[in-house]
Amino acid sequence: MGGVSGDQPQNDNPSAAAAPPPSLEEQLLSAAAAGDADEVARLIELDADVDYQDDEGVSPLMKAAEGGHTAVLAALLQSGAPWNAQDKNGYCAGEYAMGSGQQEAVDLLLDFAVQAELVLGALQRRMQAGSSSGPSAANSDYLSQKLVYRGEQLLDAEGEAVMMGWERPLMIRHAQLICPGARGDEHLQEAEAAQDQEQIGGQERAAGDAAGAGTEVEVALVVGDQPPSALAAAVAADMVAAAAADAAAAAAATAEGSGQGAGGPQRRRNGGGGGRVLNVGFGLGIVDEAIQSHNPERHTIVEAHPDVYDHMVRQGWAARPGVRILRGRWQDVLPELLAEAPYDGIFFDTYGEYYEEMRDFHIQLPHLLARDGVYSFFNGLASDNIFFHMVYCRLISLELASKGLTVEYEPLAVGALGDEVWQGVRSKYWHFETYFLPRVTHSDPLDCVEEGEEGAGAAAEAGEEEAGSGSAGGAGAGGGAEKEEADEEGKGEDGRAG
Ligand SMILES: C[S@@+](CC[C@H](N)C(=O)[O-])C[C@H]1O[C@@H](n2cnc3c(N)ncnc32)[C@H](O)[C@@H]1O
């Protein structure tokens, strides 16, 4: 007879017997992965922690996103699961959904994230209403540092890149979009292209084109080891859908007369001219050189850093015909900008400023931008996480739509930037192979006033509006961002606002 008695438990695998039962959270992870909405609801009812992340940082929300289980996603989000938690590789639930091609889950997470950020931003502004309106800590820290120009790099005292030469093609395209001189050529080219198209047989334009997102450039996004094609398809579809939705929302807002832009300034040009162009943030002057190549009538440049200003003067910018340099933070020279407005083209690209400061600038846009003008900005928010980046693109579109402005994102191939590009720079601040170049216009450009009706009048209007904006936030005409501390999430990786 063996030594095992009949009433003793059999134990062929001692280690299995020793394993504790799965915790509520582990059960939640499994149920989310399986898309078992009832079980997920039961576990949430039992107080399972929806914030749970396993040893790899994987959360129930990520698992539900990966499987495209939208009912589970909704239940988890409603119970407080953080949409922006990241696993050990830095991926969030939105990227899990994108990686597995779950477009519905991507949309759900994107909508939720944007709503959450809108509410959070409004709450933060409400809490900070009335507090100091000086520069953010990050901006004043940057402005007090000694800068170094080294070839096609502008570095701060810690070796962080303020601006780099690899951005040249982006800056050239930004300048083309905002300069009336270049826009004229482009419209001509577009008209010719449309004629060619008709001759070929008038095929329907691609969906991306219809929504205003350029489709000529191949969209290629690589984030870590996620499959690029799935990501690219999801992102492109989303950007196009977002642009179309925002355009519709903006048009509706303007039609109802609720868009602030409806009363915005229009300056009728006497045909052709190079127009008035404003650039905020000189850096290496790449965008300003590109603007100059389109012969603006007037080219205003705002620059806050004393070292950059000195560099500009050394380079002869102060003596260039038609160029006006405003030294100081844009917030501080805002009254002068409003007095000179409207501009036919505006570009915004600062450093050491975050989403809130850019938002403050956007509040002023309806008063700064001519009715038929074009605005663009360096689009570098959350430039190391494609889903967070999409959230910001969408957030900006929505916030601008509420001002009667429409945003279209044009995908521009950046390609893979090798290590050699980042040599001598402390941190790499760009991680995608595609740049989504924003083109912002008034939703209703036909609503215009004659030349001379804008400018000082618009300035007074802007001042009144901001004076009365109270806790709704925004920089007053006297200048100053309302936020002392920068929101860590609302920054470009390099600390650039856009
Ligand atoms: C990234 S660089 C601009 C690069 C530029 N687009 C180019 O093509 O070279 C940012 C510039 O904005 C300036 N800047 C930072 N904060 C500013 C502010 N609040 N107002 C105006 N300029 C600011 C910086 O000193 C820097 O020169």
Side-chain angles (χ1 to χ4, degrees):
M1 293 285 288
V4 179
S5 76
D7 55 3
Q8 273 179 330
Q10 286 212 349
N11 191 356
D12 294 339
N13 180 357
S15 66
S23 66
L24 284 181
E25 285 71 29
E26 287 163 340
Q27 293 178 53
L28 186 64
L29 197 68
S30 308
D36 187 342
D38 291 342
E39 179 65 357
V40 166
R42 187 187 73 83
L43 290 163
I44 292 174
E45 196 63 36
L46 288 175
D47 252 357
D49 182 3
V50 292
D51 288 6
Y52 172 74
Q53 291 177 260
D54 70 10
D55 292 345
E56 295 305 309
V58 178
S59 69
L61 195 74
M62 293 170 194
K63 281 292 178 195
E66 189 174 36
H69 307 307
T70 49
V72 173
L73 275 180
L76 288 168
L77 290 168
Q78 274 159 24
S79 305
W83 68 270
N84 53 359
Q86 290 170 276
D87 71 11
K88 281 200 164 158
N89 295 314
Y91 297 128
C92 64
E95 286 164 291
Y96 274 74
M98 288 160 71
S100 57
Q102 299 292 350
Q103 188 64 49
E104 238 184 285
V106 173
D107 292 344
L108 192 152
L109 284 161
L110 193 58
D111 284 349
F112 183 89
V114 170
Q115 291 305 323
E117 289 303 297
L118 281 171
V119 171
L120 197 70
L123 277 176
Q124 281 177 344
R125 283 187 287 280
R126 191 168 281 265
M127 280 161 56
Q128 281 159 5
S131 62
S132 157
S133 64
S136 69
N139 199 228
S140 60
D141 175 47
Y142 160 69
L143 293 175
S144 63
Q145 289 187 32
K146 189 95 207 98
L147 303 185
V148 179
Y149 278 93
R150 196 173 61 197
E152 283 250 285
Q153 294 178 348
L154 173 58
L155 306 172
D156 74 6
E158 280 139 30
E160 298 289 359
V162 177
M163 179 64 185
M164 295 179 73
W166 70 262
E167 291 187 38
R168 183 175 295 279
L170 309 184
M171 294 298 141
I172 288 173
R173 182 66 187 142
H174 278 294
Q176 262 174 4
L177 277 188
I178 65 163
C179 287
R183 286 211 298 275
D185 297 348
E186 200 164 79
H187 287 149
L188 209 66
Q189 283 163 16
E190 271 174 21
E192 282 168 8
Q195 222 170 10
D196 290 351
Q197 183 96 2
E198 258 170 41
Q199 281 160 5
I200 293 166
Q203 299 100 319
E204 275 193 14
R205 300 180 83 195
D209 255 343
T215 50
E216 282 169 21
V217 189
E218 192 189 326
V219 178
L221 286 151
V222 177
V223 182
D225 55 7
Q226 294 270 30
S229 54
L231 275 173
V235 171
D238 236 281
M239 289 290 186
V240 169
D246 295 338
T254 308
E256 283 165 20
S258 59
Q260 289 184 33
Q266 158 87 4
R267 193 168 63 86
R268 279 214 179 126
R269 286 192 309 278
N270 298 325
R276 294 189 204 173
V277 179
L278 166 66
N279 174 43
V280 182
F282 181 82
L284 289 172
I286 298 176
V287 85
D288 290 294
E289 280 296 356
I291 290 169
Q292 281 288 298
S293 74
H294 300 301
N295 303 313
E297 280 162 32
R298 183 151 194 149
H299 179 178
T300 302
I301 306 170
V302 181
E303 176 50 51
H305 201 294
D307 293 352
V308 178
Y309 177 80
D310 291 348
H311 174 84
M312 292 172 79
V313 173
R314 276 198 304 275
Q315 301 255 310
W317 279 88
R320 288 208 186 188
V323 171
R324 180 185 187 208
I325 303 174
L326 293 177
R327 183 183 177 171
R329 297 166 62 238
W330 68 262
Q331 295 89 338
D332 299 330
V333 300
L334 185 58
E336 283 150 278
L337 297 180
L338 289 166
E340 193 183 56
Y343 299 97
D344 303 299
I346 303 178
F347 183 59
F348 183 89
D349 181 10
T350 63
Y351 184 85
E353 294 198 313
Y354 305 128
Y355 179 71
E356 282 299 319
E357 283 87 357
M358 186 160 73
R359 185 179 176 280
D360 287 341
F361 186 77
H362 289 174
I363 288 172
Q364 304 297 334
L365 257 188
H367 308 293
L368 292 170
L369 188 66
R371 296 295 305 171
D372 55 354
V374 178
Y375 165 67
S376 195
F377 56 90
F378 176 72
N379 190 10
L381 288 168
S383 59
D384 61 342
N385 182 301
I386 190 61
F387 188 76
F388 294 172
H389 187 60
M390 282 165 60
V391 170
Y392 277 112
C393 287
R394 189 109 174 83
L395 197 59
I396 290 169
S397 298
L398 283 174
E399 295 205 311
L400 285 174
S402 75
K403 310 248 157 294
L405 296 156
T406 300
V407 188
E408 295 160 15
Y409 291 100
E410 173 183 306
L412 209 63
V414 172
L417 299 174
D419 289 345
E420 66 287 354
V421 172
W422 303 104
Q423 230 155 31
V425 170
R426 188 161 160 191
S427 352
K428 180 175 171 175
Y429 64 82
W430 184 261
H431 298 261
F432 312 142
E433 290 198 7
T434 300
Y435 177 74
F436 290 95
L437 194 137
R439 179 178 185 276
V440 183
T441 51
H442 283 283
S443 309
D444 183 7
L446 296 178
D447 184 11
C448 63
V449 294
E450 294 300 323
E451 176 137 26
E453 284 183 29
E454 73 292 331
E461 191 195 320
E464 275 165 28
E465 180 185 308
E466 290 316 319
S469 70
S471 61
E482 69 202 34
K483 217 166 169 239
E484 264 295 88
E485 284 299 324
D487 172 3
E488 278 300 297
E489 283 210 343
K491 64 180 182 181
E493 251 207 296
D494 61 340
R496 275 158 82 177

